[in-house]
Amino acid sequence: MRKLQVSGLRWLIHVAALLPLAVIIWDLTQGQLTVNPIEQIQLRTGKSALVLLVLSLACRPLSMVHGLKWVLQLRRPLGLYAFTYATLHLLNFIGLDYGFDLTLLREDIAEKSFAFVGLAAFLLLLPVALTSTRGWMRRLGKNWERLHWMVYLAALLAVTHFLLQAKADFREPLIYGMAVLLLLLVRIPGVRRVVRTLRCRTEEKST
Amino acid sequence: MDKISPSEITPEHLFFSRRQFLTSIGALVASSVLFSACKQQDVLSDTVTSDGCESAYASKSTDELGDDLTPCQSIINYNNFYEFTTEKEEVAYLARDFKTTPWTVKVGGLVNKPQTFDMDDLRRKFPQEERIYRLRCVEAWSMVIPWLGFPLAELLKEVEPTSKAKYVSFETLYDPEQMPGQNNRMFKWPYVEGLRLDEAMHDLTILATGIYGKSLSPQSGAPIRLVVPWKYGFKNIKSIVKIDLVEEVPVSLWMAAAPDEYGFYANVNPNVPHPRWPQSSERRIGEVSRRKTLLFNGYAEEVTHLYDGMDLRKFF
């Protein structure tokens, strides 16, 4: 029964994660992507990547809640979809926006910290995404986990990238920033122990 | 003669249903082609569509550089007007009931003849003329817009600035009930903008009351707004209620919000970088690839002399 539940949820994740892309394509064919579609694609893929990344980071803390261990299985698909949107985001910028005109691109982003921070976030996600298979998990052993801690750094960089792009109104990027910091906080050993004790106590009470 | 076995012959009902299927596919393709063709039509000739673009008119189809005018529909559905919302596509909807009559513009400060004009006064006193200008937003997109309006200089001459007047400051209506975006506390409302007096008196500087031969739509800054084509879009303050001649540099809303990003001059300049948006290139709305941004948005010949001897990186 549990297994069925998980596989059902995995399907739901696939559908939900592909939905933003489907909507972009639909809107594009209908001419509903505003009069500046390239900018709109940039905004939407970026937002989707960030949301999925934060959700993938939320899996571990959630799995510590009694009876939710299976949530861990959603971490990989969520993370990989986040990476997919990040890739589309980067490709849209270089390919559609700049038409692979690297000279123009270099000229335009020379002094733009947001571009470098965004690129750094992507480059950190790249090895994490590539080594997300069971095979690489086995091959890297203890190092696998160390490597995958980089996701937190990538998420912080992604939020910074968002913040640097915001025009005077920083509320939205700050909300994402707080979410990432909170998710990082609950993974610090000391905090984790407190959470565990709390959990034990509530379990005792409930039994 | 080879005999065809009955089993090889397609049964009649299948034969017909296949035909039907093919016909319906054909119809589908045809209708979608037609559909997209119609859409194309909407964009090209704005006369067919509603919402402020019926009988849109412009005397020419290009600007003086030979670039096409931006379609009316694009102009009125992609707006930066933070008084309503920061979402460009939603301004038109949120501004649909914005009240622009009655409307007065109070002109005062360091002038000999302070006056309050209502819109009819302004239209009667100052003949409306068409000006086709490029609009370059600091966010690196641009349009070509056929404005209707009159030179700001005409209005300023009417009120007679005193010799002490050095700058002109402009103010947008403050009315959070009509303009929900003004509840956003990230900005210091009302919207304020300013020009140096010689910039304000320049012939290219106009107060616009229309686009494409029609009165301005609320989202475009109805009923009256500033247009200074060699400066970034945000200088073109919308829905003006107050104009003052002053001695000190006015502090604009954007200067107050982010002083290191937005200066008083805000001249379009590909050589002065901005921390977020590329200023050396831009996307013309409706085009896919970027084009190079021109110094002073292509009006260098007319306005360079205003800034002789100034370090434009310092006075950005």
Side-chain angles (χ1 to χ4, degrees):
Chain A
M1 192 57 214
R2 170 68 45 84
K3 217 171 177 183
L4 205 68
Q5 217 175 12
V6 173
S7 75
L9 205 74
R10 280 181 78 109
W11 270 107
L12 193 71
I13 295 251
H14 286 300
V15 173
L18 284 170
L19 199 63
L21 182 62
V23 175
I24 290 175
I25 293 170
W26 173 255
D27 282 348
L28 191 65
T29 59
Q30 298 300 305
Q32 287 169 0
L33 221 47
T34 82
V35 293
N36 198 352
I38 295 177
E39 180 194 52
Q40 195 59 207
I41 293 172
Q42 196 65 10
L43 292 173
R44 291 201 200 174
T45 50
K47 190 70 77 61
S48 304
L50 190 57
V51 169
L52 289 164
L53 195 60
V54 171
L55 286 177
S56 80
L57 293 181
C59 289
R60 188 57 185 256
L62 263 181
S63 73
M64 285 150 73
V65 177
H66 180 65
L68 288 181
K69 206 159 185 65
W70 51 268
V71 172
L72 271 186
Q73 297 184 42
L74 307 177
R75 199 163 44 160
R76 181 160 55 184
L78 282 170
L80 283 174
Y81 275 119
F83 177 72
T84 308
Y85 280 101
T87 310
L88 292 174
H89 187 67
L90 182 67
L91 278 178
N92 182 60
F93 184 62
I94 299 173
L96 279 182
D97 198 345
Y98 279 90
F100 297 104
D101 185 342
L102 296 184
T103 334
L104 186 63
L105 189 65
R106 206 178 312 130
E107 215 173 282
D108 272 357
I109 66 169
E111 293 170 45
K112 306 280 182 292
S113 43
F114 82 84
F116 294 103
V117 174
L119 188 64
F122 178 80
L123 291 178
L124 285 181
L125 282 181
L126 184 66
V128 175
L130 292 178
T131 59
S132 65
T133 58
R134 265 175 222 284
W136 275 106
M137 212 165 169
R138 212 173 33 239
R139 248 166 281 166
L140 290 172
K142 197 103 193 100
N143 287 326
W144 188 87
E145 201 158 326
R146 281 190 203 131
L147 181 71
H148 281 242
W149 265 100
M150 290 206 311
V151 176
Y152 285 93
L153 189 56
L156 287 175
L157 287 172
V159 170
T160 313
H161 171 70
F162 189 11
L163 196 67
L164 288 169
Q165 275 284 28
K167 189 172 166 184
D169 191 345
F170 304 119
R171 289 174 297 186
E172 208 185 342
L174 285 178
I175 290 170
Y176 285 101
M178 260 146 35
V180 174
L181 284 176
L182 193 73
L183 293 171
L184 186 58
L185 195 73
V186 295
R187 294 217 58 188
I188 295 168
V191 181
R192 212 159 67 190
R193 227 170 292 131
V194 176
V195 174
R196 266 209 202 116
T197 341
L198 280 176
R199 192 180 86 179
C200 291
R201 254 185 238 152
T202 48
E203 270 167 35
E204 269 163 33
K205 261 184 221 156
S206 60
T207 45
Chain B
M1 193 180 95
D2 283 345
K3 223 173 164 196
I4 301 169
S5 83
S7 66
E8 282 179 62
I9 300 171
T10 309
E12 199 176 42
H13 71 276
L14 274 187
F15 176 81
F16 279 113
S17 73
R18 201 177 289 164
R19 231 174 213 209
Q20 219 163 28
F21 176 70
L22 287 174
T23 322
S24 59
I25 288 275
L28 202 70
V29 170
S31 64
S32 63
V33 166
L34 265 177
F35 185 61
S36 53
C38 288
K39 270 226 293 256
Q40 200 74 14
Q41 189 78 34
D42 286 358
V43 176
L44 291 177
S45 84
D46 294 299
T47 46
V48 254
T49 49
S50 58
D51 313 330
C53 281
E54 336 56 29
S55 64
Y57 168 82
S59 67
K60 299 189 195 73
S61 59
T62 63
D63 66 5
E64 82 282 7
L65 301 179
D67 289 315
D68 287 340
L69 299 186
T70 304
C72 177
Q73 282 291 336
S74 303
I75 296 171
I76 67 164
N77 286 303
Y78 193 71
N79 311 95
N80 270 328
F81 202 169
Y82 282 19
E83 277 79 348
F84 291 97
T85 168
T86 53
E87 302 291 327
K88 288 193 261 294
E89 309 79 49
E90 283 164 30
V91 176
Y93 177 76
L94 286 170
R96 70 197 182 286
D97 295 324
F98 184 60
K99 248 186 101 214
T100 55
T101 42
W103 191 279
T104 56
V105 183
K106 199 173 161 220
V107 189
L110 304 170
V111 296
N112 290 326
K113 298 199 301 199
Q115 286 175 66
T116 299
F117 300 89
D118 75 24
M119 284 309 296
D120 289 334
D121 290 341
L122 290 173
R123 287 203 186 91
R124 215 174 311 118
K125 243 189 185 111
F126 308 107
Q128 309 290 302
E129 52 186 285
E130 184 194 61
R131 298 279 183 104
I132 296 175
Y133 286 158
R134 291 171 287 285
L135 176 102
R136 167 57 158 87
C137 178
V138 72
E139 296 168 351
W141 52 266
S142 62
M143 295 180 174
V144 181
I145 303 176
W147 301 102
L148 271 188
F150 59 93
L152 173 62
E154 303 283 320
L155 178 77
L156 295 181
K157 278 177 209 153
E158 193 76 20
V159 295
E160 296 178 10
T162 66
S163 58
K164 272 179 116 183
K166 298 278 179 305
Y167 298 92
V168 186
S169 103
F170 306 83
E171 222 176 278
T172 296
L173 176 72
Y174 179 70
D175 184 358
E177 287 212 348
Q178 283 204 85
M179 298 171 140
Q182 289 179 332
N183 293 314
N184 181 349
R185 305 227 174 269
M186 304 299 271
F187 300 101
K188 199 174 153 280
W189 306 103
Y191 201 97
V192 170
E193 260 306 340
L195 292 174
R196 218 170 55 192
L197 190 55
D198 58 344
E199 295 175 326
M201 297 297 284
H202 195 285
D203 180 58
L204 285 176
T205 305
I206 60 165
L207 285 174
T209 55
I211 289 177
Y212 267 110
K214 298 175 47 111
S215 292
L216 287 174
S217 305
Q219 64 268 34
S220 303
I224 189 163
R225 64 171 296 170
L226 182 69
V227 179
V228 194
W230 72 92
K231 292 178 181 282
Y232 290 119
F234 66 84
K235 290 297 282 186
N236 302 331
I237 183 169
K238 294 171 162 176
S239 307
I240 299 170
V241 290
K242 201 161 159 250
I243 300 175
D244 276 321
L245 283 106
V246 294
E247 201 174 354
E248 302 291 325
V249 185
V251 177
S252 72
L253 174 131
W254 283 111
M255 285 162 76
D260 50 336
E261 289 185 28
Y262 307 101
F264 173 73
Y265 287 95
N267 291 318
V268 176
N269 191 335
N271 310 313
V272 178
H274 184 276
R276 269 169 289 139
W277 300 288
Q279 301 309 11
S280 43
S281 71
E282 69 198 50
R283 179 171 306 100
R284 181 65 47 85
I285 293 304
E287 293 179 356
V288 174
S289 53
R290 284 176 171 264
R291 45 167 78 211
K292 292 260 176 199
T293 291
L294 305 171
L295 181 63
F296 294 117
N297 205 19
Y299 301 97
E301 213 172 291
E302 290 94 331
V303 301
T304 306
H305 70 272
L306 293 171
Y307 310 103
D308 277 345
M310 280 175 72
D311 179 358
L312 294 176
R313 277 183 172 258
K314 201 172 148 214
F315 298 101
F316 58 95

